[in-house]
């Protein structure tokens, strides 16, 4: 039940960084917040776990910038690895961004958050010049896996992103009435080795929704099998509205393009 403000830049050079709220333990409790109201930056974050924050449960994180970071692991994002709610509060990531960074992951990896569920909201966030390479599934420019949650007004720019299954410019996979709204990707190379690559979302299922989104000037490829699309690789029992892809897109798969 505290609010923590960051007033100055934090520079971490070639040192092991101890993650905030790591796994274990799980972090439960009342609403908390991190608010960088001064627009300060956190630079050179280098650690092999889940990002700046390991888990957030009913918390709010605002106005943070991760720059020139190198991260690796599973359930990983530059801001938070895993975000969910408590019995009384939902999690919110807002006005955060990651630039000029590299993320190497196993699965559940996003430029901002790796895994978001239970009414988590990611608002007004972006990543640029941040390359993501993963050996497994659920890989997105903003979030890896979105379950019963929302991405709004986010974008991913000028980067490469690669995984095995479910790779998207904004989100790897969405399910359970999740939504991606007012978001876009641009100048990307998006690759899924096996199935499901999309300019916005790799895998859109279980009553999820993409609305008012677009993908521009990106190369989207599934190397071994099927389902590549300018907006979504595969959509099942879900909707895509008011969305488009433009400008010399190269979209390739062996089947279902």
């Amino acid at each position: 039940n505290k609010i923590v403000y960051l007033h100055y830049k934090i520079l971490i050079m070639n040192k092991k960084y101890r993650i905030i709220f790591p796994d274990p333990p799980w972090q439960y409790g009342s609403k908390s917040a991190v608010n960088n109201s001064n627009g300060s930056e956190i630079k050179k974050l280098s650690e092999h776990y889940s990002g700046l924050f390991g888990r957030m449960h009913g918390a709010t994180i605002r106005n943070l910038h991760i720059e020139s970071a190198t991260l690796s692991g599973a359930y990983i994002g530059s801001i938070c690895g895993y975000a969910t709610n408590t019995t009384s509060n939902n999690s919110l990531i807002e006005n955060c961004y990651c630039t000029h960074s590299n993320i190497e992951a196993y699965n559940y990896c996003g430029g901002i958050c790796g895994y978001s569920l239970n009414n988590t909201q990611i608002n007004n966030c972006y990543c640029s010049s941040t390359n993501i390479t993963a050996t497994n599934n659920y890989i997105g420019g903003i979030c890896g896996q979105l379950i019963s949650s929302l991405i709004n007004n986010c974008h991913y720019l000028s980067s490469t992103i690669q995984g095995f299954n479910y790779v998207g410019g904004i989100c790897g996979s969405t399910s359970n009435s999740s939504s991606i709204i007012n978001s876009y990707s641009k100048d990307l190379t998006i690759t899924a080795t096996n199935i499901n690559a999309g300019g916005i979302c790799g895998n859109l299922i279980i009553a999820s929704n993409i609305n008012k989104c677009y993908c521009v000037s990106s190369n989207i490829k599934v190397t071994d099998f099927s389902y590549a699309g300018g907006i979504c690789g595969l959509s099942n029992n879900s909707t895509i509205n008011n969305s488009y892809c433009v400008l010399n897109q190269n979209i390739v798969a062996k089947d279902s393009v």
Side-chain angles (χ1 to χ4, degrees):
N1 197 27
K2 303 292 184 183
I3 297 176
V4 179
Y5 292 92
L6 174 66
H7 289 284
Y8 299 98
K9 296 180 181 180
I10 298 174
L11 181 64
I12 303 170
M13 297 288 292
N14 301 318
K15 294 181 179 180
K16 190 175 179 67
Y17 169 78
R18 185 177 294 277
I19 194 170
I20 304 169
F21 300 150
D23 177 30
W26 286 64
Q27 300 295 318
Y28 293 105
S30 56
K31 191 175 181 68
S32 58
V34 173
N35 190 347
N36 175 10
S37 58
N38 287 10
S40 303
E41 302 170 0
I42 296 175
K43 299 181 68 175
K44 296 292 185 183
L45 171 62
S46 181
E47 178 58 31
H48 296 287
Y49 293 93
S50 299
L52 180 61
F53 293 85
R55 295 179 180 267
M56 54 186 295
H57 293 252
T60 295
I61 300 174
R62 286 192 176 101
N63 306 326
L64 290 178
H65 176 196
I66 305 295
E67 181 182 5
S68 303
T70 300
L71 306 96
S72 62
Y75 293 91
I76 185 168
S78 65
I79 301 298
C80 181
Y82 182 102
T84 187
N85 63 351
T86 64
T87 56
S88 56
N89 296 293
N90 298 323
S91 286
L92 171 65
I93 302 173
E94 190 169 61
N95 301 330
C96 295
Y97 56 105
C98 178
T99 59
H100 300 98
S101 296
N102 289 285
I103 304 175
E104 297 181 0
Y106 176 68
N107 58 10
Y108 299 110
C109 173
I112 297 296
C113 184
Y115 192 100
S116 300
L117 71 161
N118 297 336
N119 298 311
T120 294
Q121 292 190 26
I122 303 174
N123 293 331
N124 304 322
C125 295
Y126 74 88
C127 291
S128 67
S129 302
T130 295
N131 298 321
I132 301 172
T133 304
T135 58
N136 219 304
N137 308 327
Y138 305 104
I139 314 300
I142 298 297
C143 184
Q145 171 81 314
L146 196 71
I147 301 175
S148 302
S149 296
L150 170 68
I151 294 174
N152 178 50
N153 196 30
C154 295
H155 54 273
Y156 182 47
L157 309 173
S158 305
S159 306
T160 63
I161 180 169
Q162 179 175 353
F164 190 69
N165 295 320
Y166 318 132
V167 184
I170 297 296
C171 188
S173 180
T174 66
S175 65
N176 298 74
S177 302
S178 293
S179 294
I180 304 173
I181 301 172
N182 296 320
S183 298
Y184 70 93
S185 62
K186 184 178 180 182
D187 298 327
L188 303 181
T189 298
I190 302 168
T191 306
T193 303
N194 194 45
I195 58 171
N196 295 20
I200 298 298
C201 184
N203 194 47
L204 187 76
I205 60 173
I206 314 178
S208 293
N209 174 55
I210 293 173
N211 190 27
K212 297 181 180 178
C213 295
Y214 62 92
C215 176
V216 180
S217 302
S218 294
N219 296 306
I220 303 165
K221 183 177 182 180
V222 176
T223 57
D224 289 349
F225 291 103
S226 306
Y227 308 115
I231 296 296
C232 182
L234 174 68
S235 176
N236 185 13
N237 191 31
S238 298
T239 58
I240 300 173
N241 297 311
N242 306 311
S243 300
Y244 61 92
C245 60
V246 293
L247 296 180
N248 300 322
Q249 302 240 9
N250 183 24
I251 305 173
V252 178
K254 291 187 176 180
D255 189 18
S256 302
V257 176

